[in-house]
């Protein structure tokens, strides 16, 4: 795609032209903040492919403190999860405690053309001990027919957090981020 060879200004214009609304230019959450200790619905919007190539798989790593994850099946896509032990036991309310759960979700075998937009959804509980103001990152790999976007970059992670190669190597591939808010008061 043309805009890879140009600097930010052209990229912005190309991005806006490609995506119906700039908000979904990269892979981001529809609701990018949630209160500690509360339920959360994560909606990841996919507003473009890899330099024009259709998206065929989305894989999301679930960070620490995001528990009781349940992904939403998507017709035409194969849904798989990886489960694992949590670093500690979490109280998710209603007297339920969890010490393991989903740590990775993948939707694959689909085909989302560049011209269309789609969403990949899961529900979860935000651990009560996450700190207000904390940023929680969800490294996400967007596989396309040709090429891949690794939305895995985390600010301050230096080159280690910078994606090597792939479609977006020269304009940054920030990981989808969720900002933790103060717990809401239980009435
Ligand atoms: Cu983008």
């Amino acid at each position: 795609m043309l805009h890879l060879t140009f600097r930010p200004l052209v990229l912005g214009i190309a991005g806006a032209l490609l995506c119906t609304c700039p908000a979904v230019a990269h892979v981001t959450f529809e609701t990018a903040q949630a209160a500690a200790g509360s339920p959360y619905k994560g909606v990841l919007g996919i507003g473009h492919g890899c330099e024009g190539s259709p998206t065929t798989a989305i894989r999301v790593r679930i960070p620490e403190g995001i528990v009781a994850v349940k992904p939403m099946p998507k017709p035409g896509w194969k849904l798989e999860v990886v489960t694992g032990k949590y670093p500690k036991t979490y109280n998710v309310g209603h007297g339920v405690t969890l010490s393991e759960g989903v740590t990775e979700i993948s939707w694959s075998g689909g085909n989302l053309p560049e011209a269309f937009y789609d969403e990949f959804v899961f529900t979860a509980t935000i651990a009560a001990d996450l700190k207000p103001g904390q940023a929680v990152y969800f490294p996400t790999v967007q596989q396309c027919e040709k090429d891949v976007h690794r939305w895995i970059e985390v600010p301050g992670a230096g080159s280690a957090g910078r994606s090597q190669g792939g479609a977006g190597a020269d304009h940054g591939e920030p990981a989808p981020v969720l900002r933790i808010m103060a717990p809401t008061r239980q009435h």
Side-chain angles (χ1 to χ4, degrees):
M1 188 58 76
L2 171 67
H3 71 281
L4 272 184
T5 55
F6 295 95
R7 292 292 140 228
L9 173 60
V10 175
L11 180 64
I13 294 167
L17 288 172
L18 278 172
C19 308
T20 51
C21 63
V24 290
H26 291 341
V27 178
T28 55
F29 283 113
E30 184 176 75
T31 306
Q33 56 187 37
S38 66
Y40 174 66
K41 182 180 176 187
V43 178
L44 285 169
I46 303 294
H48 62 73
C50 307
E51 319 329 313
S53 178
T55 301
T56 56
I58 296 289
R59 199 166 72 242
V60 182
R61 190 163 356 111
I62 306 297
E64 194 178 326
I66 307 299
V67 298
V69 170
K70 289 188 179 180
M72 184 186 278
K74 179 177 278 297
W77 298 71
K78 184 180 179 194
L79 175 57
E80 293 166 293
V81 297
V82 174
T83 59
K85 274 210 155 310
Y86 293 145
K88 60 185 153 186
T89 298
Y90 292 96
N91 178 339
V92 291
H94 308 295
V96 177
T97 60
L98 294 176
S99 56
E100 60 180 46
V102 173
T103 57
E104 192 173 303
I105 308 169
S106 83
W107 292 268
S108 61
N111 191 291
L112 175 63
E114 167 81 23
F116 300 154
Y117 165 81
D118 206 349
E119 297 173 339
F120 295 79
V121 179
F122 62 87
T123 60
T125 298
I126 312 294
D129 61 357
L130 290 184
K131 302 283 172 287
Q134 187 178 344
V136 179
Y137 297 92
F138 293 70
T140 298
V141 174
Q142 175 186 14
Q143 183 64 53
C144 297
E145 275 179 7
K146 282 198 311 292
D147 229 325
V148 59
H149 272 304
R150 291 185 187 80
W151 308 103
I152 63 173
E153 289 170 18
V154 172
S159 62
R162 186 165 182 78
S163 61
Q164 308 304 320
D170 69 338
H171 59 72
E173 295 180 304
V177 60
L178 179 64
R179 187 69 57 179
I180 305 302
M181 312 298 283
T184 52
R185 263 175 336 107
Q186 306 298 328
H187 296 297

